[in-house]
Amino acid sequence: MKKAVLTLCALMPIVAASQCNVTYLGGEVTDHQTGSYPLAVDENGNSYGNFSYLGMNVWGADGSTVAVSPPEPTDAAFQPSINNKKQAIVNSESWCWPEFRDYSTDMMIWNWEQGTKVCLKPLPFQLPEGFSATYLSRATVIDDKGWVYTSVPDRGTLRNRAVVWRDNGVAVELPVLQSGLQHFVNGGNTSGLVVGQASTDVRNFRSVPIAWRSGIIERLPLPEGFTAGRAVSASSNGDIVGQGYVGRRPSSGLWWSEGKVKELPLGFTPSHINRQGHIIGRTGKNWWPAIYKNDKVLLIAKLMPAMWHKKGYQVTLLTDINDKSEVLAKYRGGPNDLDGSVLLRGCFGNQ
């Protein structure tokens, strides 16, 4: 088992790789006076995100805007997501069910090609008084069947519940571990594999990584000596990544594949994985955006073209990766130091 103490990035295997090709989504931040935040990318390179907190946008593979949702708040309890059937989650500020003034009604399924929206029905239990988005995992997953997964706290049982809205729009609770008090949805794939964590105490110091496959919950194994963990992302072929802990200290990123668990390089924290085993995340004590390929960690900053650096741009976050190894990223720059969105290609070499 690797040591539980994070070390400097210099101790990790970081090597040179192919240069990333940049596609600006909605234009460069120098071309407009507003910022954007990218969230998810589908198998065809369509990217989804918000634009200046005025509404949700879908950008095509060439970076052009192909769909815009009517202006709606984007800071409600559920983080929007996208599937491969041109459906996305939109926050609705209780627009669908005005008689329920809580976050159990804040999601709609938006078909961004047809321009239609379907309301998700209220949860079958009450949320805590004064409920805030900061109280729960913000992850939301919509699969290619149009089923929606997330997790919310239940005021009656004081448990955090993982729920799914099926095709009838009614929410039901996902299966739980017998000893689990809190169950969190952290991510998943569009085939309905959902991953997260379960814990036996309200502070989540003893969380275990979990997955729901075809609606059946399973506890993911941890390497010897690890005491806790969480799963955060699943690829289209069923591989899962997450993080392990020794005591309260984060130790290593973890990769589950075919029932086995592998430790990732020390100091690298994964956030998403695709079926090629290409992983995005952060590394080092300063949490630099980075990618992982073939046991090597690569800093995105070192893979960006020279013109990118001349413009003073900086990648601040990698938010998603698809099976073409196209990487969705947030960057900062421009005359007003705004946030922008880009789709990066070629970062992993031949794709």
Side-chain angles (χ1 to χ4, degrees), residues 202-226:
V202 295
R203 293 177 295 176
N204 301 313
F205 290 148
R206 298 186 61 83
S207 64
V208 296
I210 56 174
W212 289 273
R213 298 181 192 267
S214 301
I216 300 174
I217 193 171
E218 64 179 89
R219 179 171 176 168
L220 300 173
L222 290 170
E224 182 179 355
F226 282 67

Side-chain angles (χ1 to χ4, degrees), residues 36-89:
S36 63
Y37 192 105
L39 293 166
V41 59
D42 71 10
E43 60 187 9
N44 296 313
N46 297 304
S47 302
Y48 183 50
N50 65 42
F51 207 54
S52 188
Y53 302 99
L54 295 176
M56 306 307 296
N57 279 235
V58 177
W59 299 286
D62 63 352
S64 63
T65 301
V66 298
V68 180
S69 174
E72 291 165 345
T74 59
D75 58 351
F78 303 104
Q79 178 173 297
S81 57
I82 189 172
N83 64 12
N84 297 312
K85 301 297 182 181
K86 299 184 178 179
Q87 292 177 309
I89 297 300

Side-chain angles (χ1 to χ4, degrees), residues 163-186:
V163 296
V164 55
W165 282 264
R166 294 174 177 161
D167 48 12
N168 58 5
V170 175
V172 297
E173 187 173 8
L174 291 170
V176 299
L177 293 182
Q178 185 174 2
S179 60
L181 177 61
Q182 312 282 349
H183 291 77
F184 295 90
V185 170
N186 294 332

Side-chain angles (χ1 to χ4, degrees), residues 107-184:
M107 289 195 291
M108 296 187 292
I109 299 175
W110 172 40
N111 184 306
W112 49 266
E113 183 177 54
Q114 300 174 1
T116 60
K117 295 177 183 176
V118 176
C119 295
L120 297 176
K121 297 180 181 178
L123 292 164
F125 51 85
Q126 289 184 307
L127 300 175
E129 298 236 356
F131 172 68
S132 167
T134 59
Y135 294 165
L136 81 160
S137 165
R138 293 175 60 87
T140 302
V141 178
I142 180 169
D143 67 20
D144 286 342
K145 297 193 301 290
W147 293 19
V148 179
Y149 306 79
T150 193
S151 49
V152 290
D154 178 353
R155 184 171 69 186
T157 64
L158 301 180
R159 292 174 179 263
N160 200 79
R161 298 192 184 205
V163 296
V164 55
W165 282 264
R166 294 174 177 161
D167 48 12
N168 58 5
V170 175
V172 297
E173 187 173 8
L174 291 170
V176 299
L177 293 182
Q178 185 174 2
S179 60
L181 177 61
Q182 312 282 349
H183 291 77
F184 295 90

